[in-house]
């Protein structure tokens, strides 16, 4: 393929920047979840120690006080982690490259750049295809005109041969170009229709077996018609 593909670098940079933000936010969120899990663990430990002391009639005052102090401290840790996670999320909601920047550059810069390279290539091929098809029809018309009268004259002689008993039958007299086999069809006009049909089928996914990709438009040999 001759169409040059371009990387939309700003989108890649935007994704990488976004991934970095997600990683940082995930780190703060993980620290918050860890702090909450530790607080839950301490609260469960307090409840268990308290319940066991009641069941067995033991004195767990000192142990419960220590756990209670740890819970108070851990609540402070959770509060700080919640604050940090909230602030980090707000601060990193958008990076240096905004989503608006990405869309605007794609629409205003990237698309025009690609089109500027793409359009001349395809346009030249389509014009060449049009010129070739019309040239085939012109060749067909010229062939019809050049040999039509000759065919009619030979056909008349063939009929005379039959009527004069020189031959048993009237031979089939074909036009030399009108019966030419092109694109598995008879005659240039039928061949042109077959080409158009194959192109139409290709747009629906059917690829001709003998298709050959043309990277560049060949040099034209122009003739006045």
């Amino acid at each position: 393929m001759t169409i040059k593909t371009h990387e939309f670098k700003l989108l890649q940079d935007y994704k990488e920047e976004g991934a970095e933000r997600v990683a940082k936010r995930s780190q703060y969120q993980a620290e918050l979840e860890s702090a909450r899990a530790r607080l839950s663990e301490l609260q469960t430990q307090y409840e268990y120690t308290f319940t066991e002391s009641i069941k067995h009639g033991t004195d767990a005052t000192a142990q419960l006080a220590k756990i209670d102090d740890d819970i108070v401290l851990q609540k402070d840790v959770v509060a700080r982690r919640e604050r940090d996670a909230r602030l980090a999320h707000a601060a990193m909601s958008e990076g240096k490259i905004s989503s608006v920047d990405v869309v605007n550059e794609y629409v205003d810069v990237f698309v025009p750049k690609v089109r500027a390279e793409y359009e001349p290539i395809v346009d030249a091929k389509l014009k060449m295809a049009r010129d070739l098809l019309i040239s085939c029809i012109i060749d067909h018309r010229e062939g019809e005109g050049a040999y039509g009268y000759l065919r009619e004259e030979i056909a008349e002689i063939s009929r005379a041969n039959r009527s004069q008993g020189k031959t048993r039958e009237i031979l089939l007299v074909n036009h030399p170009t009108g019966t030419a086999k092109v694109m598995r069809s008879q005659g240039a006009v039928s061949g042109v229709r077959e080409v158009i049909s194959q192109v139409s089928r290709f747009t629906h996914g059917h690829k001709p077996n003998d298709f050959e990709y043309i990277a560049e438009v060949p040099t034209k040999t122009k003739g006045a018609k």
Side-chain angles (χ1 to χ4, degrees):
M1 185 175 73
T2 56
I3 306 301
K4 182 179 179 181
T5 56
H6 297 273
E7 177 187 3
F8 186 33
K9 191 173 184 306
L10 188 64
L11 177 61
Q12 186 61 36
D13 293 342
Y14 174 75
K15 288 180 177 179
E16 290 177 359
E17 189 180 78
E20 291 175 1
R21 292 199 308 276
V22 170
K24 290 179 180 178
R25 286 200 297 262
S26 297
Q27 178 184 348
Y28 284 107
Q29 189 63 32
E31 291 174 353
L32 172 58
E33 295 302 325
S34 177
R36 286 173 174 170
R38 177 55 181 161
L39 176 60
S40 178
E41 179 184 326
L42 288 170
Q43 290 170 333
T44 300
Q45 184 181 351
Y46 183 93
E47 293 172 2
Y48 176 80
T49 303
F50 181 84
T51 302
E52 288 297 305
S53 68
I54 297 299
K55 284 182 180 180
H56 300 289
T58 58
D59 183 10
T61 304
Q63 187 176 0
L64 288 171
K66 174 65 171 63
I67 298 173
D68 213 17
D69 289 341
D70 290 343
I71 289 174
V72 172
L73 292 174
Q74 191 61 29
K75 285 182 177 180
D76 289 339
V77 173
V78 170
R80 290 197 301 271
R81 294 290 182 267
E82 288 175 340
R83 177 198 61 197
D84 292 347
R86 183 180 67 257
L87 293 174
H89 181 79
M92 293 186 292
S93 59
E94 193 87 78
K96 295 179 181 178
I97 304 172
S98 73
S99 56
V100 174
D101 293 336
V102 173
V103 175
N104 286 342
E105 178 155 334
Y106 178 82
V107 172
D108 298 334
V109 179
F110 188 78
V111 168
K113 176 182 178 181
V114 173
R115 282 182 54 186
E117 295 180 0
Y118 174 83
E119 288 175 349
I121 296 173
V122 176
D123 193 58
K125 290 181 180 181
L126 289 175
K127 286 181 178 177
M128 171 64 83
R130 177 202 63 189
D131 292 351
L132 286 171
L133 291 176
I134 293 177
S135 295
C136 286
I137 295 173
I138 290 173
D139 291 343
H140 164 75
R141 291 172 178 173
E142 289 187 347
E144 283 287 311
Y147 300 107
Y149 294 106
L150 176 61
R151 174 189 173 281
E152 287 297 327
E153 187 172 347
I154 298 301
E156 180 61 31
I157 294 174
S158 178
R159 288 191 291 271
N161 288 339
R162 171 68 178 82
S163 64
Q164 295 171 11
K166 296 180 180 179
T167 58
R168 293 183 178 180
E169 57 186 16
I170 299 174
L171 295 179
L172 178 64
V173 179
N174 290 321
H175 190 287
T177 62
T179 55
K181 297 293 184 180
V182 291
M183 294 299 296
R184 299 186 295 275
S185 299
Q186 180 172 306
V189 173
S190 295
V192 169
R193 295 194 184 101
E194 174 61 22
V195 169
I196 294 173
S197 175
Q198 288 190 21
V199 171
S200 177
R201 292 198 297 271
F202 178 73
T203 62
H204 293 86
H206 178 77
K207 181 178 178 181
N209 295 327
D210 56 351
F211 166 76
E212 181 181 355
Y213 178 74
I214 299 175
E216 297 180 5
V217 174
T219 301
K220 291 184 180 181
T221 300
K222 295 183 178 181
K225 295 294 181 183

